[in-house]
Amino acid sequence: MTIYYPNGQKFQPKADNQNVQHGKRGMTLEEDINTSNDYYLRTNKAVIHKKPTPVQVVHVDYPQRSAAKITEAYFRKPSTTDFNGVYHGQYIDFEAKETRQKQSFPLKNFHDHQIEHMQQVLQQGGICFILLRFTTSNELYFLDASHLIRYWKEQKKGRKSVKKEEIQQDGHAVDTGFNPRIDYLKIVDTIYLDAGSGA
Amino acid sequence: MTIYYPNGQKFQPKADNQNVQHGKRGMTLEEDINTSNDYYLRTNKAVIHKKPTPVQVVHVDYPQRSAAKITEAYFRKPSTTDFNGVYHGQYIDFEAKETRQKQSFPLKNFHDHQIEHMQQVLQQGGICFILLRFTTSNELYFLDASHLIRYWKEQKKGRKSVKKEEIQQDGHAVDTGFNPRIDYLKIVDTIYLDAGSGA
């Protein structure tokens, strides 16, 4: 069964949500990131938000003297990534995904439009990456989008997933802390802003 | 009556939508901007998208073997602006509004959260502005968010709207063309990137 949240904002239409049991493990990756973004916003460190989940509205009722009520709608596949914003004037854009797989990350967690969007962002000089969590071991990795794009293209040669070792080699482990829970901007500082190495 | 579009993407939950008749005048400002953003994307000039309209989902049906169907939901007030993205590595963030008023733009077209968001973006070094269209005369203006924030604060002194003359003085007229229909990045080039005057 697809998991959703009644407030409409925290729904995660992600491919492998169906196999993940979040309840016993505390917060989802998305909730952790939202919490971290709130922290960044409060401390004037960055302005990064999750985009609303795209919904295709089919029918709306307009009751007199009350709010328009959507009576038929469907979740749509996002055509971009979930998170974007600004940090030190720089454009930040990323996607966050979880898997219960232990040793590899299935590429089916992403889709063509998202990969295309990431390519466009990189081409335009934006900072673009993904956050990948292995939920079973609670390991989180930061991976520049260029690597994901490379893996994605290798699907033509039969690639279906990315091994954890590859992610460890190409990406950066992210510690989970208290405040912010996921300090991904620390990694951004290291690989894009301080050193300027472009990861 | 609130106007909406069945594909779910082009709905404009804007305060003065109720008074605007778009049908006879061709495209809405939002449609014009989406078309321009498509052009920017196709020509590798910038990656700027409209955010999905936020929807508060109350009830979802999960029919077996078919897509989850939202059966009760409501439109929510966006907490940020409608458009954002990246241009030459720079973060771009803006809101677009129309009015049928002839000589002034009512401030009720915006709300507190949006103004707060604009302040945060400016503080973080992002480029933030609004596009305002007077639909009756089909005049379009580009206004740096700092001016809107100043007007907004003057509501305490009784200000309810911004006179067209003020917008003309503080902002920039934008021509409507064919491709792109609204070349707002030309204004961005002039006031932020070329001259670096900060508008």
Side-chain angles (χ1 to χ4, degrees), chain B residues 17-199:
Chain B
N17 247 359
Q18 292 156 0
N19 307 317
V20 180
Q21 291 291 334
H22 296 301
K24 296 168 188 161
R25 193 169 287 105
M27 290 172 115
T28 64
L29 177 57
E30 182 175 311
E31 288 169 323
D32 278 346
I33 293 169
N34 286 337
T35 304
S36 305
N37 288 343
D38 287 347
Y39 174 84
Y40 289 147
L41 195 64
R42 274 200 318 279
T43 56
N44 297 320
K45 183 154 174 140
V47 182
I48 297 166
H49 291 278
K50 185 184 174 293
K51 292 188 190 174
T53 301
V55 164
Q56 176 158 4
V57 176
V58 176
H59 191 77
V60 185
D61 277 351
Y62 298 97
Q64 284 209 321
R65 277 178 253 279
S66 60
K69 179 181 174 182
I70 300 165
T71 55
E72 186 181 355
Y74 300 91
F75 294 108
R76 294 170 55 232
K77 255 191 195 170
S79 57
T80 65
T81 45
D82 269 359
F83 299 90
N84 74 355
V86 56
Y87 176 47
H88 290 177
Q90 284 262 326
Y91 178 75
I92 302 280
D93 191 300
F94 67 99
E95 183 67 32
K97 295 288 185 189
E98 296 176 284
T99 186
R100 288 181 81 193
Q101 298 278 324
K102 290 180 184 170
Q103 293 306 326
S104 66
F105 210 97
L107 284 167
K108 71 170 162 50
N109 279 283
F110 301 92
H111 57 81
D112 280 326
H113 283 307
Q114 288 181 321
I115 302 292
E116 197 183 343
H117 173 73
M118 291 178 192
Q119 285 178 306
Q120 289 162 344
V121 168
L122 290 179
Q123 192 178 357
Q124 203 47 240
I127 292 173
C128 190
F129 56 90
I130 52 174
L131 294 175
L132 300 177
R133 185 187 267 170
F134 290 91
T135 53
T136 308
S137 57
N138 200 25
E139 287 170 273
L140 180 67
Y141 295 96
F142 179 116
L143 191 72
D144 186 83
S146 60
H147 298 294
L148 176 65
I149 293 163
R150 180 165 46 83
Y151 303 145
W152 189 259
K153 288 176 179 166
E154 288 171 7
Q155 286 182 111
K156 284 180 193 160
K157 297 187 243 165
R159 184 191 273 274
K160 288 196 160 40
S161 64
V162 191
K163 283 186 190 149
K164 196 198 273 186
E165 292 81 48
E166 295 175 296
I167 296 170
Q168 286 168 333
Q169 192 183 319
D170 295 333
H172 301 257
V174 188
D175 294 334
T176 304
F178 176 64
N179 224 345
R181 292 181 69 84
I182 297 174
D183 196 1
Y184 61 86
L185 288 179
K186 204 159 91 182
I187 314 276
V188 169
D189 284 341
T190 310
I191 63 177
Y192 304 102
L193 304 181
D194 293 350
S197 71

Side-chain angles (χ1 to χ4, degrees), chain A residues 1-9 41 44-47 49 51-60 62 67-76 79-80 84-91 117 120-121 123-126, chain B residues 1-9 41 44-47 49 51-60 62 67-76 79-80 84-91 117 120-121 123-126:
Chain A
M1 195 189 91
T2 310
I3 296 163
Y4 79 101
Y5 303 86
N7 71 4
Q9 202 164 28
L41 194 63
N44 297 320
K45 184 157 173 139
V47 182
H49 291 278
K51 292 187 190 175
T53 301
V55 163
Q56 176 158 3
V57 176
V58 176
H59 191 78
V60 184
Y62 298 96
K69 179 181 173 182
I70 301 167
T71 56
E72 187 182 353
Y74 300 91
F75 294 108
R76 295 170 55 232
S79 56
T80 65
N84 75 355
V86 57
Y87 176 48
H88 289 177
Q90 283 262 328
Y91 178 75
H117 172 74
Q120 291 161 343
V121 168
Q123 192 177 356
Q124 203 48 240
Chain B
M1 193 187 93
T2 308
I3 297 163
Y4 78 102
Y5 303 86
N7 70 5
Q9 203 165 29
L41 195 64
N44 297 320
K45 183 154 174 140
V47 182
H49 291 278
K51 292 188 190 174
T53 301
V55 164
Q56 176 158 4
V57 176
V58 176
H59 191 77
V60 185
Y62 298 97
K69 179 181 174 182
I70 300 165
T71 55
E72 186 181 355
Y74 300 91
F75 294 108
R76 294 170 55 232
S79 57
T80 65
N84 74 355
V86 56
Y87 176 47
H88 290 177
Q90 284 262 326
Y91 178 75
H117 173 73
Q120 289 162 344
V121 168
Q123 192 178 357
Q124 203 47 240

